[in-house]
Amino acid sequence: MLLQTIIALAATGGGLALFTGWTASRVEKALPPRGRFMDVRGNRLHYLDDGTGPDDDRPAVVMVHGLGGQMHHFTHSLLGRLQTDHRVIVVDRPGSGHSTRPDDAPANVLAQAGVIADFIRALKLPRPPLLVGHSLGGAIALGVALDHPETISGVALIAALTHPQETPPDIFKGLAIRSDIARRLVAWTMATPMSFLRGRKVLDEVFGPDPVPADFAIAGGGLLGLRPKAFRSASIDMVAANDDLPAMAARYPDIALPVHMIFARGDRILDWRAHGQALQAKLPALQLTLIDGGHMLPVTAPDAVETLIRNATQRA
């Protein structure tokens, strides 16, 4: 009886792994890399740069996405609005999108901030860019402002994580896996089937109260989240997210760069009071814009985000 149970479990696990691998292959054919690659601190970063080279004299903007995301969150609605008069560079964070991250690489916020700072240095831009960060990418942008301020001219935060969260939002609790063995096992067995079953509910919560765009799966890169790599990287990032935030929060008054922020009052992932108002209390010069809507403002509120970025580049 025990042997039969073991065989059944192995067969089920093998079938799930085959389905997961097949799904990942189909997703990457539908959404292949669209930019260039650069090696930074052992990470292979995938990025899209619409500039012509170091002599491009347009104001430069570097965009960093949030937890479980990738560059399509910015290219969906924002890139076309800014690229006529800005040099826009969007990057897949380590382990996200089509970027890779070594198994032994740290994933804490300040470590990722160091990667982004080195990435900006390697671009050899004619002058420091504005750094835009969404959600977890906002925490990383603040890390750059704290530890590598010479690499950027200012920070624009979109629905940014700025302070520790004792518990993750309910829809992200499945990512809270600390054992990498367990994380890999879930990634290659249950994560992809569960994404098919719960994907719409998760997206409704992440976007809500705004609707999910009909083209988000492809134009917004949503399908890339079905891969086991995406689940594992998001789990690693979420588990490490709070490691640096308490010490960072104590240092926020030291930030001398201009910081602009936009938040939506209806955000179901990060509360604007705990992350926007709390940051403003430590940075009185912070310009905080509040609008109606949810968490995915780069996709759902491109007009307001474009205005934020344009104002920030003019004042940086």
Side-chain angles (χ1 to χ4, degrees):
M1 185 67 174
L2 177 60
L3 180 59
Q4 290 176 332
T5 301
I6 292 172
I7 292 172
L9 289 173
T12 300
L16 290 172
L18 286 172
F19 173 73
T20 296
W22 176 83
T23 300
S25 176
R26 294 292 297 263
V27 166
E28 294 193 345
K29 285 180 181 178
L31 287 165
R34 57 186 297 188
R36 312 173 194 173
F37 287 89
M38 179 190 295
D39 293 327
V40 180
R41 295 193 183 189
N43 304 275
R44 188 158 178 76
L45 298 184
H46 173 236
Y47 70 102
L48 183 66
D49 180 357
D50 82 322
T52 58
D55 295 331
D56 190 305
D57 62 358
R58 292 174 295 166
V61 177
V62 175
M63 297 184 169
V64 182
H65 62 81
L67 180 70
Q70 24 65 38
M71 66 168 60
H72 293 75
H73 288 187
F74 293 117
T75 63
H76 181 279
S77 301
L78 276 176
L79 179 62
R81 294 166 177 263
L82 294 167
Q83 64 188 162
T84 56
D85 55 353
H86 289 73
R87 178 173 175 179
V88 185
I89 300 148
V90 287
V91 59
D92 287 336
R93 287 191 298 100
S96 302
H98 289 289
S99 292
T100 62
R101 175 168 55 196
D103 287 343
D104 59 350
N108 55 298
V109 168
L110 290 179
Q112 294 202 51
V115 172
I116 295 301
D118 281 356
F119 168 69
I120 291 171
R121 291 185 183 104
L123 290 171
K124 299 187 185 304
L125 300 169
R127 57 184 181 273
L130 176 75
L131 184 57
V132 178
H134 175 229
S135 198
L136 175 60
I140 292 166
L142 288 168
V144 175
L146 286 167
D147 285 359
H148 312 275
E150 75 286 352
T151 63
I152 58 177
S153 61
V155 174
L157 303 173
I158 308 166
L161 173 73
T162 66
H163 288 74
Q165 293 223 137
E166 290 186 10
T167 58
D170 287 345
I171 59 166
F172 291 149
K173 286 183 177 178
L175 296 172
I177 304 172
R178 294 191 172 272
S179 163
D180 199 47
I181 293 175
R183 189 183 284 133
R184 290 175 185 270
L185 181 63
V186 172
W188 277 96
T189 56
M190 296 304 301
T192 298
M194 288 302 295
S195 292
F196 277 105
L197 292 173
R198 297 183 65 246
R200 185 67 198 191
K201 180 179 179 181
V202 170
L203 287 177
D204 285 343
E205 193 69 10
V206 172
F207 276 85
D210 296 319
V212 182
D215 63 350
F216 183 72
I218 297 295
L223 289 178
L224 290 168
L226 294 173
R227 300 169 303 159
K229 163 190 168 181
F231 176 88
R232 180 169 176 264
S233 291
S235 174
I236 291 170
D237 286 342
M238 196 189 78
V239 168
N242 277 342
D243 291 354
D244 295 329
L245 284 173
M248 286 175 58
R251 296 171 59 200
Y252 287 154
D254 298 334
I255 295 177
L257 293 166
V259 180
H260 296 69
M261 173 182 270
I262 188 169
F263 241 110
R265 299 179 187 87
D267 194 320
R268 297 174 182 174
I269 305 302
L270 298 174
D271 186 275
W272 69 270
R273 291 169 289 258
H275 297 279
Q277 204 170 56
L279 181 62
Q280 191 176 46
K282 295 180 172 72
L283 278 176
L286 169 71
Q287 298 195 26
L288 174 60
T289 300
L290 294 175
I291 63 173
D292 293 328
H295 187 65
M296 291 296 290
L297 299 181
V299 176
T300 60
D303 289 342
V305 175
E306 178 190 2
T307 298
L308 174 87
I309 292 171
R310 289 188 179 279
N311 289 339
T313 55
Q314 290 170 7
R315 295 170 186 171

